[in-house]
Amino acid sequence: MNAITMTTNTATGTRGWRASIADVPVLALGALLAVAIATGNASVTAAGAALSALSLLVTIVVLAFSRRQLRADPRSASFARLATGLAIATVLMGLAADALLLAAAWIVSGRLMAGLIGHVGEWSEARDAARRANIAFTVGDIALVVAVGSLASIAGSTDIAAIKAALPAMPALETTVAAFLLVIAALARCAIPPFSNWLMRSLAAPTPVSALMHAGFVNAGGFLLIQFAPVLEASLNARYALFATGIVAALVGSAIMLVRADIKGSLAASTVGQMGFMLLTVALGAYPAALWHMIAHGLFKAWLFLGSAGTISSAPTRAKGLSQPWPALIALATIIGGIALIQTEQAHALLPVCLALTALLSALAVALRALPRGPLGAAVALAPIVLIAINAAALAFMTAVQPGAAQPLISPYGQIAILSLFLAGWVWQQRIVSGQQALPPALFARMIHAGNALTSSTNANAKD
């Protein structure tokens, strides 16, 4: 074999894997995970299992995708190491039974993601994106370390189960401070305003990195708050603050998504909005719905990012929204379904369940609108119905393995009122994206400026 053949094999990834000094940190992380499991410092919870499974599945898919997409990138081996290390750190975080071990895995995953964001090291935008990500992650890391450190000090143990058991005897002030610190840590990781800047600037990273963020990283804030749910439930003020910031993020992300012309920028803004929905679901105490949101959104958004590099087309642009009367009918059906849901025992999850129902009914309406004739048409119409059934079954399963909060944050009828506001905004949004109505020029300009402020100098056409 000559030198040229060896070089080609290296570039295409066909040469067999050989351990090197650069692999030591990843191997050390794997060893730490094995030791944690062997010594009983790992435990399986519903939230931890969901986070770990999501991380492993998406990472495997992304690594397979990047093997071809980054085949000409001289840093492809470094990407694979960082991605593998991130998956191990995320699994360690999900299975950790010790609060300090969880915090350590949380910090390590943040540094690995910052390294992935700065993958194109000679590009100033990538270096700036990595720097800003490190700043946001550091704020969240400090908040988490102080929170678990104070809780462990009061409880006299770093074991998460022991901390939860000691909560009723803890002073209210310390518990409230810890709850707010946990919320700050979750907001920073989930890219909720004012921490959205790091996610929008991460568009400077290759497409596989954007997909990898949804492998239990950007959505890990929901896991953290569910894992320490008793701490959050001990402070109503912290839950109200989380709920308010979740609503703001949902509105801001959805608004910026409307005016972004680039695919990756639109998807990133959508993630901000979806993370807002996930965290407001946690604030309501609907933990099963939040867990399923974490999994479903992570899988779907990773898939969208992996396909974003192939979306350029010369075909005429079709309206993406539903024309009237579909949005109004779906909104009415959702409200009726919400009122019916009040009669069940799951009314505390009314808002997230009804918003999910809206999305699924929209998918069904889109399928019916584009319904072809023959067997294919039946399959197209059946797909959204099957999707609705799968989501209902998954939510029922999550409810069986993950209990919700003992005390709902907002009454069912209060959630109906908030749902009505969201649906009114959604109907208006559908009029805009379907081309039936244009945004007022002043509002459009403000939303463009808001989106630009989050990305600043980052090139919208980031390296794919």
Side-chain angles (χ1 to χ4, degrees), residues 12-107:
T12 57
T14 57
R15 188 177 68 177
W17 177 80
R18 294 180 182 178
S20 68
I21 190 66
D23 298 315
V24 171
V26 176
L27 295 174
L29 269 176
L32 180 59
L33 175 60
V35 169
I37 295 174
T39 58
N41 285 309
S43 63
V44 178
T45 63
L51 184 75
S52 301
L54 174 65
S55 176
L56 291 175
L57 177 59
V58 174
T59 301
I60 290 172
V61 173
V62 170
L63 285 174
F65 176 89
S66 63
R67 185 178 179 86
R68 180 176 179 83
Q69 210 239 11
L70 300 180
R71 62 188 180 278
D73 191 332
R75 306 176 189 83
S76 58
S78 173
F79 170 84
R81 279 192 292 268
L82 290 174
T84 302
L86 180 62
I88 296 173
T90 304
V91 172
L92 180 61
M93 180 170 59
L95 299 182
D98 184 275
L100 295 183
L101 183 60
L102 185 152
W106 177 279
I107 294 170

Side-chain angles (χ1 to χ4, degrees), residues 121-362:
E122 72 277 5
W123 195 11
S124 60
E125 284 87 349
R127 293 196 304 271
D128 183 64
R131 180 179 65 83
R132 290 182 180 272
N134 269 316
I135 292 172
F137 299 159
T138 298
V139 172
D141 295 345
I142 293 173
L144 177 60
V145 169
V146 174
V148 299
S150 62
L151 290 171
S153 176
I154 297 172
S157 172
T158 60
D159 184 78
I160 295 176
I163 291 174
K164 293 177 181 178
L167 274 173
M170 289 187 184
L173 178 60
E174 282 81 352
T175 304
T176 298
V177 170
F180 271 100
L181 289 172
L182 289 172
V183 167
I184 292 172
L187 297 183
R189 185 57 62 93
C190 291
I192 302 298
F195 299 104
S196 302
N197 187 277
W198 76 260
L199 177 60
M200 299 302 296
R201 285 176 176 260
S202 71
L203 300 179
T207 295
V209 175
S210 298
L212 203 59
M213 286 178 188
H214 297 80
F217 183 83
V218 71
N219 33 28
F223 155 79
L224 177 70
L225 295 177
I226 294 173
Q227 191 75 331
F228 288 96
V231 180
L232 186 64
E233 292 172 26
S235 173
L236 275 178
N237 289 333
R239 291 178 69 186
Y240 279 121
L242 180 65
F243 183 77
T245 52
I247 289 180
V248 170
L251 295 176
V252 169
S254 300
I256 295 176
M257 180 185 67
L258 277 178
V259 298
R260 287 297 298 237
D262 57 313
I263 296 297
K264 289 177 68 175
S266 177
L267 291 175
S270 171
T271 291
V272 173
Q274 290 297 321
M275 291 301 96
F277 281 119
M278 182 186 70
L279 291 185
L280 73 84
T281 303
V282 173
L284 288 172
Y287 305 141
L291 274 184
W292 177 234
H293 189 144
M294 179 182 74
I295 295 172
H297 173 261
L299 293 174
F300 183 59
K301 192 58 68 70
W303 173 65
L304 288 179
F305 265 112
L306 291 180
S308 65
T311 55
I312 298 176
S313 173
S314 59
T317 302
R318 290 187 59 185
K320 295 181 290 185
L322 293 169
S323 58
Q324 295 296 339
W326 283 108
L329 291 175
I330 290 173
L332 178 61
T334 302
I335 292 292
I336 293 174
I339 294 174
L341 191 61
I342 292 178
Q343 310 304 319
T344 72
E345 297 180 355
Q346 297 299 321
H348 64 283
L350 184 149
L351 181 59
V353 169
C354 286
L355 289 174
L357 177 62
T358 301
L360 293 170
L361 289 177
S362 300

Side-chain angles (χ1 to χ4, degrees), residues 338-339 342-343 347 350 410-420:
I339 294 174
I342 292 178
Q343 310 304 319
L350 184 149
I410 299 175
S411 70
Y413 286 105
Q415 293 186 56
I416 284 285
I418 297 172
L419 175 65
S420 300

